[in-house]
């Protein structure tokens, strides 16, 4: 076992002293035979050695469950003298949350979580794991520090800081791998990944987050057919989605997608598990789409394509989801089973709904993007070609409102259209493409029409009925209010609705408005 030292902050030292005193308190009670040994584990140790601030600390205990230890800590802190000794105030301690044993979710032993001195502290016991052939949920039991280290996904995540000795403990050469900026599995890679295929995605995430390389033996096993099959068979799609979301919300989403692409993991991640055997898109030129988005992101100046289309943190995440599923745009849109029947969702929508379990809001945007990208690109081409209708504020504005109403986030739908066009052009040079889409945005900005979906009607349905002589509301109302909106878009800034009402009156026969 290799060791090294780290320097604790004042708060970390306070936490260490508190937990060591709780351990002594338990030892002196003689309630258990074995002396309590405490270790900070995993990510906190890794980040500390990399000089990355971390407020999440897993505290591993050798001879008690996490919940049992934390209840003894509460007992210890009921003594006012102990509170004073550690200079603890009410704000320094959060509520204790018990996490029950749940074998269905790999939680065979109770753990606990609380907030102390501003740190989110999880209390867990040292564990060893055994796996069945058809599940990623292991059988869990008490283990040694070395057994706990060996069960982890990567050597850099298998380090311990022993609170008693004040030393970092390394059972798996994690310190060497940190120095080499390398991600490697503690055990033989294929065994590690077959036991728990989720580790494949975790390694991709850590590699992109830290800017580390994955060692060749691990990379080879990540792409192994048996591992890919295990990933499809044993891992829940919710867990796939959680890992992917962390990647795409991380500091290097393109790096994550590059690794997924290079390792051939696309079909195992971006798939619809409810329809096995369906044909999948080719990803031969997928890199063009995610590199295109990264190139757009490099220019966030006011009025740029990226700044105009991606305007929030949620939109940034969604933009990477759209880049990830761009290859599915190659597949034809499903048609209704019967003429006039309900339109089935695009295959790309099923991938995000069932394959990575995105929330409905994201699925709706994806559905809109897949259904509208050809129309949006056609409008862009018409603007570049200076076609007359593209200067008609009502025509363009109502079109944008329709796209937004059918999926939401029309700007992101436009971004998807750009990425699909990049894929179709199959060129690594984006200059001409970006020039055209910049013209599209500049034209719509000049017309002050980008926010057309947010335009509010100057008259509501109740008032419109009254103005038309007390006509009862009915199926005519919605198209009539659209006529009002068209008028508004043609006459921006006019607050008096009289002329808009007159426009509705003129078209009352066409709108099938009954007589009062």
């Amino acid at each position: 076992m290799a060791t090294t030292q780290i320097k604790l902050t004042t708060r970390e030292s306070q936490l260490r002293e508190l937990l060591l005193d709780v351990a002594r308190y338990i030892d002196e009670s003689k309630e258990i035979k074995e002396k309590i040994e405490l270790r900070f584990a995993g990510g906190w140790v890794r980040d500390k050695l990399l000089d990355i601030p971390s407020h999440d600390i897993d505290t591993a205990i050798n001879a008690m469950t996490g919940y049992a230890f934390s209840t003894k800590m509460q007992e210890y802190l009921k003594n006012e003298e102990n509170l004073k000794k550690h200079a603890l105030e009410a704000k320094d301690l959060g509520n204790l949350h018990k996490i029950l044993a749940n074998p269905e979710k790999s939680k065979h032993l109770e753990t606990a979580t609380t907030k102390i001195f501003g740190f989110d502290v999880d209390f867990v016991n040292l564990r060893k794991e055994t796996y069945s052939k058809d599940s990623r949920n292991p059988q869990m039991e008490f283990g040694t520090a070395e057994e706990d280290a060996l069960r982890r996904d990567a050597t850099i995540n298998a380090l311990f800081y022993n609170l008693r000795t004040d030393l970092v403990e390394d059972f798996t050469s994690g310190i060497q791998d940190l120095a080499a900026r390398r991600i490697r599995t503690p055990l033989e890679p294929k065994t590690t990944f077959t036991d728990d295929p989720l580790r494949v995605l975790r390694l991709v995430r850590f590699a992109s987050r830290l800017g580390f390389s994955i060692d060749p033996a691990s990379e080879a096993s990540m792409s192994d057919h048996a591992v890919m099959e295990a990933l499809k068979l044993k891992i829940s799609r919710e867990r796939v989605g959680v890992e992917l979301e962390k990647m795409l919300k991380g500091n290097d989403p393109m790096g994550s997608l590059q690794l997924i692409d290079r390792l051939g993991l696309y079909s195992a991640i971006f798939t619809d598990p409810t329809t096995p055997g369906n044909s999948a898109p080719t990803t031969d030129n997928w890199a063009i789409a995610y590199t295109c988005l990264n190139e757009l992101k490099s220019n966030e100046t006011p009025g740029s394509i990226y700044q105009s289309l991606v305007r929030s943190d949620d939109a940034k995440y969604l933009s990477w989801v759209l880049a990830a599923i761009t290859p599915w745009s190659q597949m034809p849109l499903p048609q209704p089973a019967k003429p006039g029947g309900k339109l089935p969702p695009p295959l790309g929508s099923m991938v995000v709904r069932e394959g990575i379990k995105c929330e409905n809001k994201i699925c709706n945007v994806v559905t809109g993007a897949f259904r509208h990208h050809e129309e949006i690109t056609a409008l862009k081409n018409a603007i570049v070609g200076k076609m007359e209708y593209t200067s008609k504020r009502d025509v363009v504005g109502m079109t944008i409102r329709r796209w937004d109403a059918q999926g939401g986030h029309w700007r992101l739908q436009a971004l998807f259209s750009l990425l699909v066009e990049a894929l179709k052009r199959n060129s690594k040079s984006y200059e001409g493409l970006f020039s055209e889409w910049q013209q599209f945005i500049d034209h719509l900005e000049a017309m002050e029409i980008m926010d057309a979906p947010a335009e509010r009607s100057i008259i509501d349905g109740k008032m419109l009925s009254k103005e038309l002589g007390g006509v009862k509301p009915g199926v005519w109302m919605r198209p009539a209010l659209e006529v009002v909106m068209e008028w508004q878009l043609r006459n921006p800034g006019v607050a008096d609705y009289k002329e808009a009402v007159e426009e509705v009156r003129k078209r009352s026969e066409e709108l099938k408005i009954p007589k009062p």
Side-chain angles (χ1 to χ4, degrees):
M1 177 185 74
T3 60
T4 191
Q5 290 185 309
I6 51 176
K7 185 175 174 59
L8 300 183
T9 65
T10 302
R11 280 302 213 187
E12 289 165 347
S13 295
Q14 278 184 284
L15 178 61
R16 173 178 177 253
E17 291 303 324
L18 169 64
L19 297 181
L20 284 174
D21 272 2
V22 174
R24 278 189 286 270
Y25 173 73
I26 296 168
D27 289 340
E28 288 166 6
S29 74
K30 308 286 188 191
E31 288 183 24
I32 57 173
K33 293 177 183 177
E34 200 173 341
K35 275 200 163 190
I36 296 296
E37 193 86 37
L38 301 174
R39 294 172 171 89
F40 292 161
W44 179 86
V45 186
R46 176 200 68 226
D47 288 349
K48 191 75 181 169
L49 289 168
L50 291 171
D51 202 25
I52 298 171
S54 178
H55 297 282
D56 295 320
I57 302 179
D58 287 351
T59 303
I61 308 142
N62 63 325
M64 300 177 80
T65 67
Y67 183 67
F69 178 87
S70 60
T71 55
K72 296 303 286 186
M73 180 178 73
Q74 282 187 318
E75 188 179 291
Y76 170 81
L77 290 173
K78 282 179 182 174
N79 186 318
E80 287 292 329
E81 290 302 313
N82 293 334
L83 283 171
K84 285 179 186 174
K85 178 182 177 182
H86 294 282
L88 272 164
E89 300 175 26
K91 65 182 174 62
D92 294 323
L93 282 170
N95 293 326
L96 185 69
H97 300 285
K98 181 179 181 180
I99 301 170
L100 296 171
N102 184 349
E104 290 301 311
K105 292 189 175 179
S106 307
K107 300 184 188 301
H108 293 259
L109 297 159
E110 290 176 343
T111 63
T113 183
T114 191
K115 204 169 189 74
I116 313 175
F117 295 125
F119 297 104
D120 292 310
V121 184
D122 285 354
F123 294 102
V124 298
N125 56 277
L126 290 172
R127 294 170 286 176
K128 65 179 178 181
E129 300 173 344
T130 54
Y131 288 84
S132 62
K133 288 183 179 179
D134 58 352
S135 174
R136 68 166 292 269
N137 295 333
Q139 294 299 310
M140 201 87 70
E141 53 191 88
F142 279 90
T144 64
E146 184 172 9
E147 286 170 331
D148 194 285
L150 291 172
R151 74 177 179 82
R152 293 177 180 259
D153 51 12
T155 60
I156 62 168
N157 296 333
L159 298 164
F160 295 102
Y161 166 70
N162 189 308
L163 275 65
R164 180 181 56 82
T165 64
D166 193 24
L167 289 172
V168 172
E169 299 171 337
D170 179 10
F171 297 93
T172 65
S173 301
I175 294 171
Q176 284 181 19
D177 289 331
L178 272 179
R181 301 180 64 79
R182 175 177 59 226
I183 293 184
R184 191 172 55 83
T185 58
L187 297 173
E188 189 274 322
K190 190 170 179 181
T191 302
T192 297
F193 299 135
T194 307
D195 280 348
D196 181 0
L198 184 65
R199 290 168 175 157
V200 170
L201 302 186
R202 283 176 60 81
L203 262 59
V204 168
R205 175 161 64 87
F206 284 117
S208 59
R209 178 191 157 192
L210 299 171
F212 282 21
S213 62
I214 300 174
D215 88 293
S218 296
E219 276 203 4
S221 291
M222 289 165 83
S223 304
D224 183 270
H225 177 72
V227 170
M228 295 282 280
E229 285 302 304
L231 194 153
K232 290 177 183 176
L233 173 69
K234 294 169 70 170
I235 194 168
S236 76
R237 302 315 298 184
E238 288 83 2
R239 294 300 292 136
V240 172
V242 167
E243 283 300 322
L244 186 72
E245 182 175 347
K246 287 177 180 177
M247 291 180 209
L248 301 186
K249 286 183 175 178
N251 61 334
D252 187 14
M254 189 180 88
S256 296
L257 296 183
Q258 278 179 318
L259 272 171
I260 288 168
D261 194 6
R262 184 161 60 78
L263 297 172
L265 303 175
Y266 192 91
S267 63
I269 300 170
F270 302 105
T271 183
D272 173 14
T274 63
T275 52
N278 264 10
S279 56
T282 176
T283 56
D284 291 349
N285 63 346
W286 176 39
I288 288 174
Y290 59 72
T291 306
C292 177
L293 176 57
N294 204 56
E295 194 78 16
L296 286 170
K297 189 177 181 300
S298 68
N299 178 13
E300 294 190 51
T301 55
S304 66
I305 297 172
Y306 188 84
Q307 190 270 342
S308 299
L309 300 182
V310 184
R311 304 197 301 167
S312 68
D313 287 341
D314 283 347
K316 286 176 184 177
Y317 165 59
L318 232 167
S319 71
W320 286 107
V321 172
L322 292 168
I325 57 168
T326 303
W328 284 92
S329 65
Q330 303 165 67
M331 312 299 283
L333 289 173
Q335 297 304 309
K338 297 177 183 176
K342 187 179 178 182
L343 202 59
L347 297 178
S349 301
M350 294 303 294
V351 168
V352 296
R353 186 182 301 281
E354 301 297 340
I356 55 176
K357 294 293 183 180
C358 287
E359 59 186 42
N360 285 339
K361 181 172 71 174
I362 292 174
C363 297
N364 291 340
V365 175
V366 170
T367 298
F370 271 80
R371 287 180 176 162
H372 300 143
H373 71 83
E374 290 183 352
E375 281 185 57
I376 296 171
T377 303
L379 176 61
K380 182 269 296 182
N381 290 338
I383 287 170
V384 171
K386 302 190 183 317
M387 292 184 69
E388 186 183 347
Y389 83 88
T390 62
S391 294
K392 294 181 177 177
R393 203 168 183 274
D394 55 342
V395 174
V396 176
M398 291 304 288
T399 301
I400 289 174
R401 285 176 65 87
R402 174 171 58 80
W403 292 334
D404 197 79
Q406 297 170 3
H409 288 278
W410 88 268
R411 292 170 187 255
L412 290 174
Q413 295 185 40
L415 176 70
F416 181 72
S417 307
L418 187 161
L419 298 178
V420 170
E421 187 172 7
L423 206 66
K424 286 179 178 174
R425 290 193 182 191
N426 199 20
S427 169
K428 292 179 181 176
S429 172
Y430 306 113
E431 190 177 346
L433 179 73
F434 289 176
S435 173
E436 290 180 14
W437 282 94
Q438 190 66 60
Q439 286 181 62
F440 169 77
I441 287 165
D442 292 346
H443 180 80
L444 298 183
E445 289 284 11
M447 291 174 73
E448 297 184 350
I449 207 77
M450 292 284 282
D451 289 322
E455 184 88 22
R456 300 199 52 166
S457 181
I458 56 175
I459 185 169
D460 62 20
K462 188 176 178 182
M463 185 65 73
L464 182 60
S465 290
K466 185 178 175 184
E467 289 290 329
L468 293 173
V471 181
K472 283 188 180 180
V475 292
W476 62 271
M477 180 65 75
R478 184 171 175 180
L481 286 172
E482 286 190 352
V483 167
V484 170
M485 181 55 66
E486 287 169 8
W487 182 89
Q488 270 182 246
L489 291 168
R490 286 195 300 275
N491 300 274
V494 180
D496 188 346
Y497 55 73
K498 296 289 190 221
E499 287 187 35
V501 173
E502 192 56 40
E503 183 84 15
V504 172
R505 275 204 192 92
K506 284 180 189 171
R507 295 172 61 179
S508 58
E509 192 172 328
E510 171 199 337
L511 295 168
K512 297 181 181 175
I513 301 174
K515 294 193 173 160

